[in-house]
Amino acid sequence: MLVILVNKATTPDNTVYFIAAALNGILNQKDYLNYTELYDTACSVLHKSRINTTVFMLALDFLFLLDKIYVDKDGKIHVLKNTKINSKRW
């Protein structure tokens, strides 16, 4: 079940917002991770055997739209640690 907000049929840890917050926290501790490393780390940190890949991708999309992450030309996912627009990434 795909859930963005919490409702009676799901728990908060299965929402896009919760997964996005977890991913942001993981990326804040690292300089960068590729998709697979981030997915595996998130599963480990959240104590899950797997995370729904649709929810995982929506969480990454959400962080991208908030200008919290970017993907470099090598496919590595970086977190923006400051609120200013970083001209080096373009």
Side-chain angles (χ1 to χ4, degrees), residues 19-33 38 41 45 60 63 67-69 77-83:
I19 301 296
L23 297 178
N24 192 50
I26 292 166
L27 287 167
N28 271 317
Q29 295 175 358
K30 310 277 185 179
D31 288 333
Y32 60 85
L33 290 171
L38 182 57
T41 303
V45 167
L60 285 175
L63 291 174
D67 204 26
K68 297 292 184 185
I69 63 170
I77 302 167
H78 298 260
V79 68
L80 292 172
K81 296 188 181 198
N82 58 16
T83 56

Side-chain angles (χ1 to χ4, degrees), residues 2 4 6 13 29 35 37 43 45 52 64 71 89:
L2 176 62
I4 294 176
V6 178
D13 62 340
Q29 295 175 358
Y35 179 89
E37 293 169 334
C43 287
V45 167
N52 180 304
F64 181 80
V71 180
R89 69 183 175 153

Side-chain angles (χ1 to χ4, degrees), residues 6 10-19 22 46-48 51 55:
V6 178
T10 187
T11 59
D13 62 340
N14 291 327
T15 64
V16 171
Y17 295 134
F18 183 86
I19 301 296
L46 297 174
H47 307 291
K48 293 179 174 277
I51 298 170
V55 173

